[in-house]
Amino acid sequence: MSLSRRDFVKLCTGTVAGFGISQMYNPAVLHALEKAAPNVLWLQGQGCTGCSVSILNSVNPKIADVLLKVINLGYQPTIMAGEGEVAFKHLYKVAKEKKGQFILLVEGAVPLAEAGRYCVIGEVEGHEYTMAETTAELGSMAAAVVSLGTCAAYGGIPASKGSVTGAMSVKGFFDKYGIKTPVVNVPGCPPHPDWMIGSLVFAIENGLEATVKVLDSVGRPTPFYGKNIHDNCPYLKYFDAGTMSPTFTKKDGCRYDLGCKGPSTNSDCPTRKWNGGVNWCVENSVCIGCVEPDFPDGKSPFYVAG
Ligand code: FSX
Ligand code: SF4
Ligand code: SF4
């Protein structure tokens, strides 16, 4: 059952237990609610839609509450009821009406080879809009862009070795074409729902200038990406003692010899955990470094035979 707006406000102020995003965001979400919900448009380019699926898994706050009460989401290809030309015209209509005031979320990379035709995301009156064309046009009109997922943030899998599509990150694409709109990167393949919602709420509440100040050297908000996985891993004591696990399932050993990339990866996965805080990659596998700019090529092979 969806919360009423009043319940949601109570939830954000901590009078209802179990708010999923860290305590520092409770006042932020509350203030975001007090302001008019900002217009947000979500583009999907070259990706697997895993970022959309991940945000839909937000446990607390429920995604319905975020979408209906915190932001005013005008376009989202996976969940919107509209489709085709009508929906795509609406996307541009909102962007023009709210020029300089809306936030553009981009999921997936931007392919440039073959005039961008590897990724056509809409058609209006016979004109096929490529991801590159729409990202350039709407990106130029937005107050800020949030690149959701490693594909949008750094190129990710679509830009990996062997790619023929000329896939680029949003920031790389903007730099190439002189588009000055600020970009916040929220990488992960896919990103944690808290990283996406938390970064968005942080930007809405604190404004662009303050948000840019908390970004690390590769454009990520440090509240989520400021700590090294290995330094905060529950298996660190085994690493320090040189005790390596021979299998993914054996608990009393470090996974370094199985290919774990925790030492070169920065995010709060060991403490935040996934799926509502019940588990995370390293418990039953390894960290493959999915939030880093050199993912996947620089993190391959993901697994090493024991
Ligand atoms: Fe990329 Fe989104 Fe990886 Fe997928 O579409 S970040 S391929 S999990 O989900 O962009
Ligand atoms: Fe580091 Fe990975 Fe070992 Fe954890 S399992 S201590 S992150 S190498
Ligand atoms: Fe990505 Fe590593 Fe976190 Fe898993 S543990 S989500 S691979 S950064």
Side-chain angles (χ1 to χ4, degrees):
M1 199 177 78
S2 182
L3 290 168
S4 69
R5 185 184 172 92
R6 197 170 190 192
D7 287 341
F8 192 65
V9 171
K10 276 194 208 161
L11 181 71
C12 298
T13 48
T15 51
V16 176
F19 189 59
I21 296 173
S22 83
Q23 203 60 25
M24 66 175 287
Y25 288 103
N26 291 5
V29 177
L30 178 65
H31 290 143
L33 277 167
E34 285 167 348
K35 292 178 181 176
N39 288 87
V40 176
L41 300 170
W42 182 312
L43 297 183
Q44 278 175 352
Q46 219 180 355
C48 75
T49 322
C51 308
S52 292
V53 173
S54 182
I55 204 169
L56 293 173
N57 282 333
S58 180
V59 173
N60 220 343
K62 286 196 186 107
I63 189 62
D65 291 323
V66 174
L67 298 183
L68 299 174
K69 295 167 188 167
V70 178
I71 60 173
N72 185 1
L73 188 62
Y75 188 88
Q76 211 291 352
T78 302
I79 60 169
M80 65 190 178
E83 59 180 299
E85 196 161 314
V86 173
F88 209 73
K89 276 183 177 167
H90 177 73
L91 167 72
Y92 268 82
K93 183 171 174 277
V94 174
K96 282 174 189 157
E97 282 172 7
K98 302 291 174 188
K99 191 173 177 191
Q101 296 162 43
F102 70 93
I103 297 174
L104 183 68
L105 305 182
V106 182
E107 170 182 8
V110 185
L112 297 188
E114 306 297 341
R117 300 188 70 76
Y118 279 106
C119 190
V120 172
I121 61 169
E123 184 181 330
V124 176
E125 288 159 17
H127 176 77
E128 290 182 336
Y129 284 80
T130 64
M131 181 63 181
E133 179 179 2
T134 304
T135 306
E137 288 179 350
L138 301 196
S140 304
M141 289 190 247
V145 172
V146 182
S147 291
L148 299 177
T150 300
C151 304
Y154 308 123
I157 291 170
S160 62
K161 197 173 167 210
S163 169
V164 296
T165 64
M168 293 194 81
S169 68
V170 174
K171 182 72 171 72
F173 176 65
F174 279 11
D175 288 348
K176 187 176 168 78
Y177 290 100
I179 298 168
K180 305 275 183 233
T181 310
V183 178
V184 174
N185 287 332
V186 184
C189 193
H192 195 294
D194 288 2
W195 302 342
M196 293 187 268
I197 294 168
S199 300
L200 192 55
V201 166
F202 188 95
I204 291 168
E205 173 56 20
N206 297 294
L208 218 44
E209 218 170 291
T211 306
V212 168
K213 278 188 192 148
V214 302
L215 303 183
D216 67 11
S217 63
V218 287
R220 304 176 293 197
T222 45
F224 300 113
Y225 301 93
K227 287 186 180 154
N228 179 262
I229 288 199
H230 176 73
D231 290 347
N232 295 283
C233 179
Y235 298 96
L236 183 60
K237 59 179 185 286
Y238 296 115
F239 178 90
D240 288 343
T243 309
M244 296 293 150
S245 176
T247 65
F248 293 145
T249 47
K250 202 163 177 289
K251 300 295 178 193
D252 52 352
C254 161
R255 279 91 168 91
Y256 187 76
D257 281 2
L258 295 170
C260 185
K261 306 300 186 301
S264 59
T265 304
N266 292 315
S267 76
D268 63 10
C269 294
T271 46
R272 182 174 302 283
K273 299 187 176 176
W274 284 70
N275 300 324
V278 298
N279 213 337
W280 70 299
C281 305
V282 173
E283 284 292 327
N284 296 302
S285 181
V286 295
C287 170
I288 59 172
C290 80
V291 297
E292 294 300 322
D294 65 345
F295 175 86
D297 291 347
K299 300 296 186 219
S300 299
F302 294 155
Y303 308 109
V304 178

